[in-house]
Amino acid sequence: MTEHNALIRKALGNIAWGNLLILLDVNLGRLDVLPNWVGYLLIFYAIGYLADEVRDLPLLKPFCVLLGAAELLDWLAVFLAGEPLTGQFFLVNALIVCVSLYFHFQLLTDLAGLAGRQAEGEPLARRLRVCRNVAAVNRVLMTALGYCPFSEGTATALALLLLLAALAVAIVTAHDLFALRRCFPEAEPQE
Amino acid sequence: MANLWAFLYQTLTLSVTAAVLLIAKRLFLDKLSPRWQYGVWAVFALRALIPAGLWGRVLVPGGRTLLEAARLAAERGLGSALTAPYAAVEVQAPVPLFPRGLPAPGSVTDALFYLYAAGILALGLWFFLSYLALRRRVSRGKAPAPEAVEQVRAVAARYGLKVPARITVLPGLESAFVCGPLRPVLVLPDRPVDDKVILHELLHLKHGDLWAGVFLCALRCLHWCNPLAWYCCDRIQNDCEALCDQRALERLEGEDRREYGRILLDMADDRYARAPGTTSMANGGKNIKARISSIARFKRYPAGMALASACVAAVLAFTCLGGVSGAASAAVPFAQDRGRLALARAVINRPDTVAGALDTYAKALLCDSPLYYAMVLPEEQRAAAWDAALEPYEDDDLYSSPLRGLGYSWSRPGWNAEWSVMNLLADGAGGYTGTLFFTPLDRDADGARGLVLQEVAVRPDGAFWTVEPLEAPRVEARTDWWLCPSGDMPYTTYTGEAGGLEVEVDFQLRLAVNNLVAVNTSALFGWSSWEDVDHTPKPHAEFDWMRDGVAVRLTDPDSGAAVALDVDVAPMEAGGDPEEALAEADYRFTVAPGTLDEDPIQVSSGVYAGENMTLRAMPEAMAVSFAGWERTYTCIAYPTEVRP
């Protein structure tokens, strides 16, 4: 097992689990027992580990802190008052959506780049890029849905469709992030 | 913008957009390219062009309420000529308008608005004269040396750009610039100019940046007293230059790129003489330092982020241009609320549908709420309601309700009554008249049943609807509350002629907004829930409950004898095709001759409920068809009598 690979595996493991924590909401009452801010904390550490490996990744550190802080604030607000805080401020929420959209897009771009550098990693890189694109467009369509003059029934049907697409993309992304970790084996392949 | 408040609303909305964009640009400063940094200002430009509050959408929830409350506080008793005292702030266009001409200012707010409009003219004139002076100076410029012209041609040819129609040389000029959006002139100093400077200016020409400059001048004029708008205009101009730098750098290689940076550095100490309708590579030391930082990041922006850039811009655009529903952010006040903020919320929520206006009026009457009257009464009757709404609430307000004086009431709270409207007929002037009914009622003395009714007129008032009572509410004692179908309740008779027979159709229509709401005492179980009547007006509601009644008579005009044939009837528009109406109408009735007092199952097609009701007033005409003597007769029946 090379030290180099071990560090990358650890970072990718952090990202994969962090992403899973962000995706999964297991609620006790209204409180998420798998808090999203823990996910961002894991990704924050991972960015540090991968800084030498992927040139653009450190650019995401401030965004990771920002998103983690917003999630922590919301989590505490739900814990103490039963309602998330950032959702109350429409414009702040929109800025958080922008940051989150960019953050996940660049994270997947950089990870796809990392995958592409590995032998036989190109299909994985391609899939990660597709997931990244679909997730970003899906998020914009979700936002746009609130402004389109659809009837309630049509809007609900479209929202459900977008939600299903988001779910499918999230599952594939989560799977691919764990698969990416496997691209960096613990032991050197036998000659 | 027809008054000071409309301008404040527009410029504050623009300022909020500016603040959001400035924060977003700061967040993405080192992550998204100069193309995005400049392009995202399109949201700002569009926001400046879209009237604030369009389609009831606002950027700051609650902000509109505060503005309305401030207007109420400032305008009450001022007698402004430009501000209607009892109407909400409305921005009809992003530029000042004077729909009532130029009346003498009646208040300080009128004077301030005139000052604002004069400021636009003065600044616009100043920009125009500055531009004219520059053009005059340029027109007196020297013809360029043949080598200079050749140099410009060579640069244009090398980078596939267009040569400007005119090139001139101005002695004493610090740096080259392009002037005039319609007939652009490349103005050069009377010393050798680097190819890269020429490339920069030609790129401005290619991308039409001069027009952006003209738009910014107009924006500066419109928002001349908003420092944030001016700051944003400066930022837009600098971002435009930074983007032009990037475009130039994308065309340059190796040493040329470093040289470009050095040229910019040399310009850092130059004076920035901003002139409308021009672009210049030298735009002031501070701006150039920002551009050099941008150039330093040129190769460091993450690659492959085009889609993310577009998505972030789209989210910002939807947010800043779409806003949130104003109705959601400024809910209709409760009947007992009082004060400026409550009145502001009432003014913002004026009814914009016929059903919404009737619902608001009915609840104003039921709750005896001056706030609800302020929402729905015609302007000339609104003053008293406004005064009352600003007085503190007293618990015995309900006892002064017009309905209580009739000797009929229902158990407190008073709003536990339901309303409906019958005979809602077009009045020929864009409005309607109809009879409002309130049920159920019990006589205070002995508990006998009764109902209250009132003739009302619903009239359009711009984008809103008002309700004017045509009589005082009156009470009618009844043994039951059965309203429709019933011969002694209002209905309209339509008459026509077909097959030599006279056709009479009595049509009765009872419309309402469903105001029943489920009330739960437990969040966990639904078993303890019941239905209550919602006492808060729904100013944007459509009719979603309807019951009809149809009775038809066929008479031989010669003998006066009734003819017993089944008749098909369908509502239609006046002048339409009756056969088409019968084939495609959403509501079609087949009835045997009779009156409205016969078996309800025979003369009514029952209750319709839901959002998709298409019959929202009494029809303009009825399509009638019956078969007899081996053929089918069809005709149109028009309203001839309104009963009772």
Side-chain angles (χ1 to χ4, degrees), chain B residues 274-607:
Chain B
R274 180 198 297 142
T278 63
T279 65
S280 172
M281 191 169 169
N283 65 341
K286 203 174 152 196
N287 289 333
I288 284 183
K289 276 173 199 145
R291 285 161 60 193
I292 289 170
S293 308
S294 174
I295 287 175
R297 288 191 297 267
F298 177 49
K299 281 283 176 190
R300 295 218 315 263
Y301 292 110
M305 301 302 288
L307 183 65
S309 307
C311 288
V312 170
V315 171
L316 285 173
F318 281 124
T319 307
C320 293
L321 302 179
V324 283
S325 164
S329 61
V332 178
F334 291 116
Q336 299 95 326
D337 290 347
R338 294 292 183 272
R340 288 201 178 91
L341 280 175
L343 195 52
R345 276 157 58 201
V347 170
I348 290 169
N349 284 290
R350 287 186 62 199
D352 55 10
T353 60
V354 174
L358 287 167
D359 191 63
T360 306
Y361 177 76
K363 282 162 182 173
L365 204 65
L366 287 168
C367 302
D368 194 31
S369 168
L371 281 174
Y372 299 164
Y373 281 124
M375 289 167 71
V376 73
L377 286 179
E379 185 163 342
E380 57 275 14
Q381 297 174 29
R382 242 174 268 163
W386 279 49
D387 289 337
L390 291 172
E391 294 295 321
Y393 173 73
E394 285 177 27
D395 192 36
D396 63 5
D397 273 8
L398 280 173
Y399 289 105
S400 62
S401 157
L403 297 188
R404 284 194 71 84
L406 299 170
Y408 280 78
S409 64
W410 43 89
S411 57
R412 289 281 196 102
W415 42 75
N416 267 338
E418 291 177 63
W419 70 270
S420 57
V421 65
M422 292 178 78
N423 244 2
L424 192 61
L425 282 157
D427 63 3
Y432 298 90
T433 56
T435 311
L436 270 182
F437 287 84
F438 296 92
T439 52
L441 281 178
D442 294 321
R443 189 154 58 199
D444 292 336
D446 55 9
R449 288 173 177 181
L451 54 86
V452 167
L453 58 158
Q454 185 179 33
E455 291 290 322
V456 293
V458 191
R459 297 201 177 98
D461 178 18
F464 307 105
W465 289 88
T466 62
V467 174
E468 185 183 0
L470 299 175
E471 59 173 1
R474 57 196 155 89
V475 74
E476 191 170 293
R478 288 182 74 86
T479 52
D480 59 46
W481 290 309
W482 184 261
L483 301 183
C484 178
S486 169
D488 57 357
M489 287 289 120
Y491 64 91
T492 299
T493 301
Y494 297 71
T495 53
E497 196 182 325
L501 297 180
E502 196 179 282
V503 183
E504 281 184 299
V505 180
D506 297 336
F507 188 65
Q508 193 165 53
L509 185 65
R510 186 181 171 203
L511 292 162
V513 172
N514 185 0
N515 273 303
L516 294 178
V517 284
V519 180
N520 282 321
T521 52
S522 162
L524 290 175
F525 306 105
W527 56 267
S528 56
S529 71
W530 70 87
E531 284 188 328
D532 204 350
V533 179
D534 187 1
H535 58 272
T536 311
K538 297 174 176 170
H540 317 295
E542 294 289 358
F543 289 116
D544 57 4
W545 187 96
M546 171 185 126
R547 189 175 181 102
D548 56 44
V550 185
V552 180
R553 288 173 298 283
L554 293 176
T555 316
D556 183 339
D558 298 329
S559 64
V563 178
L565 287 172
D566 281 357
V567 181
D568 287 333
V569 178
M572 63 177 286
E573 286 178 15
D577 179 359
E579 285 178 0
E580 194 180 314
L582 282 159
E584 296 174 6
D586 293 327
Y587 309 96
R588 181 180 164 142
F589 314 90
T590 303
V591 282
T595 67
L596 284 168
D597 288 321
E598 293 185 21
D599 181 358
I601 294 170
Q602 296 295 318
V603 297
S604 173
S605 57
V607 168

Side-chain angles (χ1 to χ4, degrees), chain A residues 55-56 59-63 66 88 90-91 94-95 97-103 105-107 109-110 132-134 136-137 139-141 143-148 151-153, chain B residues 16 19-21 23-24 27-28 30-32 57-61 299-316 318-324 611:
Chain A
R55 191 196 69 160
D56 294 336
L59 276 177
L60 289 181
K61 265 192 168 178
F63 277 6
L66 195 76
Q88 313 277 326
F90 153 72
L91 293 171
L95 284 170
V97 168
C98 288
V99 170
S100 162
L101 200 152
Y102 179 91
F103 175 83
F105 193 95
Q106 200 202 311
L107 183 68
T109 304
D110 292 342
R132 169 200 76 171
N133 293 353
V134 175
V137 172
R139 192 122 194 216
V140 175
L141 291 177
T143 309
L145 201 58
Y147 299 97
C148 295
S151 68
E152 203 179 319
Chain B
V16 173
V20 171
L21 291 179
I23 294 171
L27 285 169
F28 294 104
D30 56 350
K31 294 174 183 68
L32 293 176
R57 313 286 300 190
V58 297
L59 266 190
V60 181
K299 281 283 176 190
R300 295 218 315 263
Y301 292 110
M305 301 302 288
L307 183 65
S309 307
C311 288
V312 170
V315 171
L316 285 173
F318 281 124
T319 307
C320 293
L321 302 179
V324 283
E611 292 173 355

Side-chain angles (χ1 to χ4, degrees), chain B residues 621-640:
Chain B
M622 299 295 265
V624 182
S625 172
F626 58 88
W629 307 286
E630 295 178 354
R631 59 170 291 196
T632 300
Y633 299 93
T634 305
C635 71
I636 303 176
Y638 288 102
T640 49

Side-chain angles (χ1 to χ4, degrees), chain A residues 33-109:
Chain A
V33 291
L34 300 177
N36 293 357
W37 57 267
V38 178
Y40 284 110
L41 197 66
L42 286 173
I43 295 175
F44 181 81
Y45 283 123
I47 290 172
Y49 298 144
L50 289 174
D52 296 333
E53 205 63 35
V54 189
R55 191 196 69 160
D56 294 336
L57 213 50
L59 276 177
L60 289 181
K61 265 192 168 178
F63 277 6
C64 195
V65 173
L66 195 76
L67 291 170
E71 290 289 355
L72 178 62
L73 210 65
D74 272 349
W75 189 80
L76 285 174
V78 170
F79 181 66
L80 297 172
E83 285 288 329
L85 191 68
T86 54
Q88 313 277 326
F89 304 99
F90 153 72
L91 293 171
V92 174
N93 197 47
L95 284 170
I96 291 174
V97 168
C98 288
V99 170
S100 162
L101 200 152
Y102 179 91
F103 175 83
H104 291 283
F105 193 95
Q106 200 202 311
L107 183 68
L108 288 180
T109 304

